[in-house]
């Protein structure tokens, strides 16, 4: 990447950060209303997307999405409305960690769907399956097994009562 392209990408990134939604209401604690920040080894911006490659990371409030590649999609007004992550994907909150092969975060709905070989951990508790739906505003999680026909299409877990 030439120095000129790097400068243009840095300027576009700075402009993008300025137009990202911010918390409009101080009493709102919804995680999906928090500002969005991002970083990666390289990136590319169009009018509709921001593509991040190499140690890509998107943070919103206390939540962090890391993956090999992340694409932020924008709605008609230019605001980010969906984030897609591929490769080795991690979604980490203050209390839980999710790992999978792919994740789609719908910002307005506050919902993250992690698919592939999914592992959800909370402290020592572990739950595995094929598809995890997690709400960033309520901390509610739903795990489903792998698609029919796939080996091991059941969810499995280990829970430690009272933190033991």
């Amino acid at each position: 990447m030439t120095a000129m392209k790097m400068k243009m990408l840095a300027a576009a990134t700075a402009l993008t950060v300025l137009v990202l939604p911010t918390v409009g209401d101080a009493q709102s604690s919804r995680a999906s209303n928090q500002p969005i920040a991002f970083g990666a080894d390289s990136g590319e911006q169009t009018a509709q997307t921001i593509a991040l490659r190499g140690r890509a990371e998107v943070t919103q409030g206390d939540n962090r999405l890391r993956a090999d590649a992340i694409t932020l999609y924008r709605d008609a007004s230019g605001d980010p409305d969906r984030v897609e992550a591929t490769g080795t994907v991690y979604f980490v909150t203050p209390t839980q960690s999710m790992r999978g092969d792919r994740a789609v975060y719908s910002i307005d709905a506050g919902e993250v769907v992690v698919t592939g070989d999914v592992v959800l951990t909370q402290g020592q508790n572990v739950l595995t399956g094929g598809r995890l739906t997690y709400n960033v505003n309520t901390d509610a999680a739903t795990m489903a097994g792998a698609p029919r026909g796939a080996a091991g299409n059941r969810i499995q877990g280990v829970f430690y009562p009272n933190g033991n």
Side-chain angles (χ1 to χ4, degrees):
M1 182 179 280
T2 67
M4 183 62 158
K5 284 184 181 179
M6 289 174 51
K7 286 179 183 177
M8 288 175 57
L9 180 60
T13 300
L15 287 174
T16 302
V17 171
L18 293 175
V19 299
L20 289 175
T22 58
V23 179
D25 182 359
Q27 58 189 345
S28 175
S29 63
R30 290 173 42 106
S32 61
N33 287 344
Q34 298 292 314
I36 298 170
F38 57 88
D41 291 336
S42 65
E44 179 179 310
Q45 175 175 289
T46 68
Q48 296 83 26
T49 64
I50 299 171
L52 307 170
R53 304 285 178 262
R55 297 185 300 167
E57 181 174 77
V58 173
T59 59
Q60 186 177 38
D62 291 332
N63 299 331
R64 183 179 63 210
L65 176 64
R66 294 184 70 192
D68 298 328
I70 297 176
T71 303
L72 289 87
Y73 292 89
R74 299 181 190 171
D75 61 18
S77 66
D79 292 332
D81 68 344
R82 187 176 85 246
V83 178
E84 293 185 8
T86 57
T88 304
V89 175
Y90 291 92
F91 187 80
V92 180
T93 74
T95 59
Q96 300 179 89
S97 177
M98 297 146 235
R99 183 188 56 79
D101 300 324
R102 186 175 196 288
V104 177
Y105 174 36
S106 300
I107 296 169
D108 288 340
E111 185 174 270
V112 178
V113 177
V114 181
T115 56
D117 241 350
V118 180
V119 178
L120 169 65
T121 60
Q122 183 176 30
Q124 290 182 313
N125 302 325
V126 178
L127 184 63
T128 63
R131 178 184 174 94
L132 172 70
T133 303
Y134 175 77
N135 187 299
V136 300
N137 298 314
T138 64
D139 288 331
T142 304
M143 180 74 79
R148 292 206 182 276
N153 63 352
R154 296 169 42 111
I155 66 169
Q156 295 182 328
V158 176
F159 297 96
Y160 294 88
N162 302 320
N164 294 327

